[in-house]
Amino acid sequence: APLKFQECGVPKEHMAYMTSLLMPLYVLLPVVAGRWTAGQTPLDLAMRVYPLRVGLIPATAIAASYTPTSMTPTPYGFYALIFIVGGLGACTSNF
């Protein structure tokens, strides 16, 4: 998904900034998920989250299709949307 946003005109630097902001989430999610995956049925959580992960694919495609043609002035609403979709993607891929 980040490459598709870059193809649509989002600068690499902005994508790197958003990834840096999401890094604590990427680090903490496996610790939180360990609570549910340490039992006798570790894949139950993954199976429950998988439909959400599949549902994020169209959401990301829609966000990519609505990428603004101009990045000046900075479209903070669009960046918030990318940040939310990226955060949800991190959550679903780590659980």
Side-chain angles (χ1 to χ4, degrees):
L3 293 177
K4 186 54 84 174
F5 289 122
Q6 288 176 9
E7 285 177 13
C8 293
V10 177
K12 287 182 183 180
E13 295 84 15
H14 295 187
M15 295 302 294
Y17 297 149
M18 284 188 269
T19 303
S20 298
L21 290 173
L22 286 172
M23 193 56 63
L25 186 66
Y26 287 123
V27 171
L28 292 176
L29 277 175
V31 174
V32 173
R35 181 176 4 176
W36 292 292
T37 59
Q40 293 181 348
T41 55
L43 293 178
D44 281 351
L45 180 64
M47 294 306 292
R48 277 188 249 133
V49 174
Y50 193 74
L52 298 172
R53 189 173 182 184
V54 171
L56 277 175
I57 295 169
T60 305
I62 291 169
S65 69
Y66 284 111
T67 303
T69 55
S70 173
M71 291 296 153
T72 52
T74 305
Y76 291 112
F78 176 71
Y79 283 149
L81 177 68
I82 292 176
F83 190 76
I84 290 169
V85 169
L88 290 173
C91 290
T92 59
S93 67
N94 282 315
F95 284 118

